[in-house]
Amino acid sequence: GENVEQHPSTLSVQEGDSAVIKCTYSDSASNYFPWYKQELGKGPQLIIDIRSNVGEKKDQRIAVTLNKTAKHFSLHITETQPEDSAVYFCAAATGNQFYFGTGTSLTVIP
Amino acid sequence: SAVISQKPSRDICQRGTSLTIQCQVDSQVTMMFWYRQQPGQSLTLIATANQGSEATYESGFVIDKFPISRPNLTFSTLTVSNMSPEDSSIYLCSVGVVEQFFGPGTRLTVL
């Protein structure tokens, strides 16, 4: 089955700096790659996603890149703010089968 | 995106008892999913619940321990049976085939 690895497990950045979280996957059949943000006491929220026919997608301060050949994808957050502090999960999916990374705890220091 | 609610939001239970978690969606959906998130861990799929058929369980999860009901297209329940402290987790329901959306979760502590 699919194996998704996510790094780093924890990340601290100064407010205003950029944050990058990286994931790799093993199954070349995976074709959908969402990112979720989970705040304390809440369920994961979809923040951005990318499909296998696209290399990059941007939504305001958040961007995701995908390299299908190398089987890795990354989340980029620019101009970080304290409210970006949360746990971020990547996932790789084929159809309705989702495989999640182990999460990155991001702390933005004011 | 769908609006999903779960009840209860949290509970503290005694070993050996059972807890039923409810998941309500604001629109009709074919498939609903139940996940477990152990403390500090990622999300693990327990089962997929389709209306009108038996739930499909992932490896390591069995119906006797986690019975699921799916009486209609907007509602599902997950029961955690004969609980032990190892069942202490956040239980999440989600919907969506291509894009998955999660409920707020039920935080379960078993003493």
Side-chain angles (χ1 to χ4, degrees):
Chain A
E2 176 68 277
N3 180 42
V4 178
E5 295 188 357
Q6 182 172 346
H7 299 281
S9 57
T10 60
L11 179 61
S12 293
V13 299
Q14 291 289 333
E15 181 177 359
D17 287 350
S18 296
V20 180
I21 303 170
K22 298 182 179 182
C23 288
T24 61
Y25 63 100
S26 60
D27 189 350
S28 56
S30 292
N31 55 13
Y32 175 62
F33 306 91
W35 286 88
Y36 291 87
K37 175 183 181 182
Q38 187 174 28
E39 297 175 310
L40 197 62
K42 297 184 179 180
Q45 284 191 302
L46 178 66
I47 57 172
I48 196 167
D49 56 14
I50 193 167
R51 302 185 192 279
S52 59
N53 58 346
V54 176
E56 184 175 355
K57 183 176 178 180
K58 189 174 181 180
D59 182 3
Q60 299 183 348
R61 297 186 296 108
I62 295 174
V64 57
T65 59
L66 171 65
N67 183 327
K68 283 216 71 180
T69 303
K71 296 194 184 70
H72 66 71
F73 55 112
S74 301
L75 177 71
H76 304 252
I77 306 174
T78 59
E79 301 172 22
T80 53
Q81 301 168 2
E83 51 266 38
D84 294 329
S85 295
V87 178
Y88 291 81
F89 290 97
C90 65
T94 306
N96 59 25
Q97 288 287 328
F98 281 67
Y99 301 88
F100 290 85
T102 50
T104 296
S105 179
L106 172 65
T107 301
V108 179
I109 304 166
Chain B
S1 64
V3 176
I4 306 168
S5 60
Q6 285 184 235
K7 289 182 181 179
S9 59
R10 58 177 63 231
D11 207 342
I12 300 173
C13 300
Q14 294 297 320
R15 181 195 302 259
T17 63
S18 298
L19 176 72
T20 295
I21 302 168
Q22 299 178 7
C23 179
Q24 180 76 52
V25 189
D26 69 340
S27 58
Q28 293 185 340
V29 295
T30 304
M31 303 176 79
M32 296 179 76
F33 306 88
W34 286 98
Y35 285 83
R36 181 175 72 183
Q37 185 178 23
Q38 294 178 303
Q41 302 297 315
S42 188
L43 291 78
T44 302
L45 181 64
I46 298 171
T48 302
N50 292 327
Q51 195 271 334
S53 64
E54 292 289 328
T56 303
Y57 289 82
E58 297 299 305
S59 176
F61 299 96
V62 294
I63 188 171
D64 289 346
K65 176 66 175 178
F66 297 102
I68 287 171
S69 77
R70 184 77 203 275
N72 58 53
L73 291 173
T74 63
F75 187 79
S76 178
T77 67
L78 169 76
T79 299
V80 187
S81 304
N82 187 25
M83 289 184 285
S84 67
E86 293 70 36
D87 294 319
S88 297
S89 293
I90 299 172
Y91 291 86
L92 296 152
C93 68
S94 71
V95 302
V97 175
V98 178
E99 299 175 350
Q100 281 209 0
F101 300 96
F102 288 86
T106 296
R107 184 178 295 272
L108 171 63
T109 301
V110 184
L111 302 177

